[in-house]
Amino acid sequence: AIESEALDSEVKAAFEDLFERLKDEGHQIELVSFPYLKQIVPTYYILTTAEAASNLNRYDGIHYGYRSSNATDLEETYVLSRSEAFGAEVKKRIMIGNFILTAGYYDAYYTKAQKVRRLIEKATKEILSDFDFILGPTTIGTAFKLGEKSEDPIEMYLSDIFTVQANLAGIGAISLPLFKSETNQMPFGLQLMCGTLQEENMFSFSQYLMQL
């Protein structure tokens, strides 16, 4: 992750310094490459939008959850409950998910994304079979202001490039607020990923990193 061309130079420098400090403390640190880094974000958003569309189809304002007080009949209850309760981003993801799940695109997108997800899971767990943890930046840069990237959803989604790997691989992960930019005074974090059922060790090492 720290060799990514998109990574902010200040973030990269902070991690290089952290790795040197960990080495001085006696830890073994090795840089590893991940062959599916460019496929992670599109795979994640294909699968999650499809799952969101499928699950939220059952949200009708009658069985559970929010129900619009402005509805006067059954149809309005369905339409208004969904319209009022879902934000713009949720509605966008439902529409994308419904497109992905249509008969003409299901195999081209959803089925292929599931195959890629399995490759990501396998490659991630192979790394963790040799190491206790995977350490890297939480995002490519510092935290951005609320709504700052809302006009450019692609750039906003690409901010997830490092964090969604754990979701796709089905492993534990945590983000630690260890750093603060000297340039814009905004925070940026470290992400720690662990192997299956190794969360207790991950929490212990996280506490160690917070005190380092």
Side-chain angles (χ1 to χ4, degrees), residues 41 59 98 117 129 142:
V41 171
Y59 187 100
N98 281 325
R117 185 196 66 79
S129 67
T142 61

XYZ file of all heavy atoms in Angstrom, residues 41 59 98 117 129 142:
51
model
N -11.578 -2.136 -5.268
C -12.689 -1.184 -5.170
C -13.839 -1.549 -6.105
O -15.003 -1.605 -5.660
C -12.202 0.262 -5.405
C -13.390 1.215 -5.528
C -11.306 0.701 -4.256
N -37.567 -3.555 2.415
C -37.877 -2.419 3.288
C -39.082 -1.684 2.704
O -38.959 -0.996 1.681
C -36.661 -1.489 3.354
C -36.793 -0.372 4.344
C -36.202 -0.448 5.594
C -37.521 0.768 4.030
C -36.323 0.583 6.501
C -37.653 1.803 4.928
C -37.050 1.700 6.160
O -37.180 2.728 7.059
N -29.519 -2.704 -8.511
C -30.590 -3.276 -9.332
C -30.137 -3.458 -10.776
O -30.491 -4.440 -11.434
C -31.832 -2.379 -9.286
C -32.629 -2.571 -8.012
O -32.715 -3.666 -7.486
N -33.211 -1.496 -7.501
N -13.518 -11.793 -5.823
C -13.500 -11.748 -4.350
C -12.789 -12.964 -3.769
O -12.014 -12.858 -2.809
C -14.930 -11.673 -3.798
C -14.976 -11.495 -2.278
C -16.333 -11.812 -1.713
N -16.664 -13.215 -1.862
C -16.186 -14.188 -1.056
N -15.350 -13.895 -0.077
N -16.545 -15.442 -1.259
N -0.736 -16.046 6.383
C -0.207 -17.337 6.829
C 1.272 -17.233 7.177
O 1.814 -18.064 7.902
C -0.419 -18.403 5.750
O 0.369 -18.122 4.600
N -5.122 12.345 3.897
C -5.705 12.737 5.183
C -7.226 12.768 5.067
O -7.790 12.675 3.982
C -5.206 14.132 5.594
O -5.613 15.092 4.609
C -3.690 14.153 5.716
